[in-house]
Amino acid sequence: MNKLLIVGTVAFDAIETPFGKTDKILGGAGTFIGLSASHFNLQSAIVSVVGEDFPQEHIDLLKSRNIDVTGLEIVKGGKTFFWSGRYHNDMNSRDTLATELNVLADFNPVVPENFKNADVVMLGNLHPLVQTGVLNQMTVKPKLVVLDTMNFWMDCALPELLEVIKRVDVITINDEEARQLSGEYSLVKAAAKIHTMGPKYVVIKKGEHGALIFHNEHIFFAPALPLADVFDPTGAGDTFAGGFAGFITQQGDISFETMKTAIIQGSNLASFCVEKFGTERMVELTQSEVKNRLKQFKSLTQFEIELT
Amino acid sequence: MNKLLIVGTVAFDAIETPFGKTDKILGGAGTFIGLSASHFNLQSAIVSVVGEDFPQEHIDLLKSRNIDVTGLEIVKGGKTFFWSGRYHNDMNSRDTLATELNVLADFNPVVPENFKNADVVMLGNLHPLVQTGVLNQMTVKPKLVVLDTMNFWMDCALPELLEVIKRVDVITINDEEARQLSGEYSLVKAAAKIHTMGPKYVVIKKGEHGALIFHNEHIFFAPALPLADVFDPTGAGDTFAGGFAGFITQQGDISFETMKTAIIQGSNLASFCVEKFGTERMVELTQSEVKNRLKQFKSLTQFEIELT
C-alpha cells in the first residue's frame, strides 16, 4: 500500500449556520483530509498538534480509520487550536468569530520515521514554514506534493509561502485566492501565472461551482453536486483535498488522467461533508454511499456527442 | 428540415466594458438567438419589431443566415429598441444606463403563416403577453416550447409571466432569477418548485459557472469553458438559448439525452459570443471553430471511472 503523509490542523470548531449552532466539535484541516483520504486503499499518517484538552475519543476515531497518529503531538497543559465562525444565509461567506492558535503557535512538526518516504505528501492549510518543515524531513523525494493554503498566508507570510509553493507539484486554492496570488482576474490567466511559481498542477476550488485543474494547456472541470441542502460548508475544501490526494496515493500514478478522476473523487467526498455539521457526515459515510454518488457525478456530466 | 420559431428583440445596444466602448451596435435577444441557432440544420424565423432607423445591412445579415424575417415588422417613423449598459470589472454585474422601448412598446407579434406549425418555439426574453401572443398563433402544437425571461418581468408582470410559464416545456433563467421566481435559495429546490409551475425542464444559467438542466430527479451540468478573456458578456445567455433550441430543432427529438447535448451546444456557442463586442464574434464564427471547441468541452468534462 502506498503512503500518504498529511500535515494539517487537528482542532476544535464552533460553527453557526442558518440551520443551527454547535459547541466545540472536532475540526481542523488535517482531520478532514484524513477522514476523506481514509476512503481509499492506502496507509496514512497525520502530523499535527493538539492540547491536553483534546479528547481521546477523537484520537481513537482517527486511529479507527487506520490513520497513524505517531506524529500527532499532545502538548501537556496546552490548549487545542480553536476556530469559530458564522456562515451567512448564502453559505458562501462567513465571519470568523474567534481564532485561538493555542498550541499551534509553537508547532514544530515531526514526521514519523516510516512516513519519511511517503509517496504523496498533502500539506494542509497551515503556516508555510510548518509546511516547509515537513518537506525538509522527507528522506525520499515524494512522487507528489500537494499544498493547500489560504489568503491569510498571502497577507501575512507571502515570502515564506512563495518559497514552499516553489517546491510543490500541486497547489489547491479557491478562486479568490488564485486571483490574489496571481494578480489576475481570469482563472485561466491566474493558473498560468501560478504555474510559473512552481506548481505543475493548479487546482482552483470554486465551492458550489465546482473545481478546475490546470496543467499547462490542459484543463479539467469537476462540478459540485447540486444539493437540496447545504448544512455546513466547514471542511469541504479539506475533504476535497483529502479525496484528491487519497485517490492519487491509492493509484500510485500521477498522470493527468488520474488527476481528473482525483478531483471527481474529491468533489464527491466534499458533497457529503456539507450535509451535516463538522465531521459528522464523514464519520458515518459508507463506501456504498460514496459509490452511488459517483454514479450521480457521472450522469451529471457525461454526454455523447458526435464529432466527425 | 425542422422549423424553429424565434421571438425576441432585435435592437441596438451600446456597451461599455473594462476593455472598451461601442456606439449603437446590433443586439437584441432575437438576434443572438437567431445567429446561434443558425449553426444547426434547420429553418428558422424571427418574430420581432424594429424602427425605420434599423439598417438594411442588419436585416440582410439575418437573411444571409437563412433566417426568415417575414415576421420582423418595420414600423414606419418608429425607432428601434435601444439598450445601453456598463459592465463592472468582474464582468458578472452591470448597470443599465438606458432602456428606450420605442417600437417595442406597442409590439403585436405576427407569426409568419408557414411557421405556425414550427416544431420548436423559442420565446426569447420579452413581455410575457408578447410571448403568450406568439403561442396563441400556433396552429399545430409545437413539439417543444422554450421560454427565456428575466427578473424584470417577475417584478413588473408576474401574473402574466406565470400564465405563460404554465404553457411552456422548458424555462431558461439565471440562478438569481430561479431563486426569485421560486423563493428557494437552493437551485435543486428552486428547480423542483418551478417544475410545479409548468415547465418539465428547468435550465438554470450560471454565467461563467455553467448551466444546469433539471428534469424531475435528473440533473445534467454543462460547464462554461474557462476563458482567458471575457470581452463582453452581452448576448451570451441568448446565444446559449439559441444553441439549445437550435440543436433540439435540428435533432427533432426531445429526450433528456438530446437536451444534455443541447446545453453543451448552447454553452459552446455562448463561449464564442463573449470573445468580442456584441454579435461580432458570432457573425464571423465558422463551423470548424465550433467543432474544435466542442472537443475542448469533451476533454474538459469527460472522465473514466470504474464503478463495480
Side-chain angles (χ1 to χ4, degrees), chain A residues 17-144:
Chain A
T17 79
F19 301 103
K21 195 175 158 164
T22 71
D23 289 327
K24 282 187 175 185
I25 58 172
L26 175 61
T31 306
F32 283 103
I33 293 168
L35 290 175
S36 183
S38 75
H39 284 274
F40 301 97
N41 193 24
L42 50 76
Q43 284 183 272
S44 69
I46 288 186
V47 172
S48 194
V49 64
V50 293
E52 214 177 337
D53 57 347
F54 196 71
Q56 184 61 38
E57 57 166 327
H58 291 344
I59 297 175
D60 291 343
L61 169 69
L62 298 175
K63 281 183 179 170
S64 76
R65 299 306 176 103
N66 287 319
I67 302 170
D68 183 316
V69 292
T70 319
L72 178 63
E73 185 189 350
I74 302 170
V75 177
K76 289 239 168 80
K79 284 184 74 182
T80 301
F81 172 54
F82 172 63
W83 175 82
S84 172
R86 182 191 293 133
Y87 288 88
H88 302 162
N89 280 331
D90 67 1
M91 291 296 217
N92 283 325
S93 53
R94 68 187 184 190
D95 296 324
T96 291
L97 303 177
T99 307
E100 298 171 13
L101 284 183
N102 299 328
V103 295
L104 207 62
D106 304 308
F107 177 40
N108 274 311
V110 178
V111 176
E113 209 51 50
N114 64 332
F115 275 86
K116 289 185 174 171
N117 64 352
D119 302 272
V120 175
V121 178
M122 176 71 232
L123 302 171
N125 173 39
L126 263 176
H127 195 295
L129 290 181
V130 173
Q131 296 176 317
T132 300
V134 166
L135 279 190
N136 288 345
Q137 293 172 55
M138 303 306 289
T139 53
V140 178
K141 188 176 155 57
K143 269 189 198 159
L144 197 77

Side-chain angles (χ1 to χ4, degrees), chain A residues 186 189 220-221 228-229 300, chain B residues 186 189 220-221 228-229 300 302:
Chain A
S186 150
K189 289 183 177 174
F220 181 71
F221 175 79
D229 293 298
L300 182 66
Chain B
S186 150
K189 288 184 178 174
F220 182 72
F221 176 79
D229 292 299
L300 182 65
Q302 304 303 287

Side-chain angles (χ1 to χ4, degrees), chain B residues 90-245:
Chain B
D90 66 2
M91 291 296 217
N92 284 323
S93 52
R94 67 185 186 192
D95 296 323
T96 291
L97 302 177
T99 308
E100 298 171 13
L101 284 183
N102 298 329
V103 293
L104 207 60
D106 304 307
F107 177 40
N108 276 311
V110 178
V111 176
E113 208 53 48
N114 63 332
F115 275 86
K116 288 186 176 173
N117 64 352
D119 302 273
V120 175
V121 177
M122 175 72 232
L123 302 171
N125 174 38
L126 263 177
H127 195 295
L129 290 181
V130 172
Q131 296 176 319
T132 300
V134 167
L135 279 190
N136 288 345
Q137 292 172 56
M138 303 306 289
T139 53
V140 178
K141 188 177 155 57
K143 271 190 197 159
L144 197 76
V145 178
V146 184
L147 174 138
D148 189 61
T149 188
M150 70 184 295
N151 51 358
F152 181 77
W153 308 115
M154 297 175 198
D155 295 334
C156 303
L158 188 60
E160 296 89 339
L161 179 61
L162 291 175
E163 276 306 309
V164 68
I165 285 178
K166 270 188 203 167
R167 299 174 60 182
V168 309
D169 303 293
V170 186
I171 183 170
T172 72
I173 43 180
N174 75 28
D175 39 2
E176 284 319 306
E177 289 156 356
R179 288 176 175 135
Q180 178 172 348
L181 185 60
S182 65
E184 295 284 352
Y185 184 80
S186 150
L187 297 181
V188 173
K189 288 184 178 174
K193 208 157 197 177
I194 297 169
H195 277 323
T196 68
M197 298 176 184
K200 293 185 289 292
Y201 302 89
V202 177
V203 176
I204 300 182
K205 301 175 285 181
K206 304 199 298 170
E208 61 164 329
H209 299 303
L212 288 158
I213 181 165
F214 294 86
H215 174 53
N216 303 323
E217 75 282 16
H218 302 290
I219 314 180
F220 182 72
F221 176 79
L225 198 73
L227 295 171
D229 292 299
V230 171
F231 200 78
D232 172 18
T234 309
D238 300 313
T239 301
F240 170 85
F244 176 82

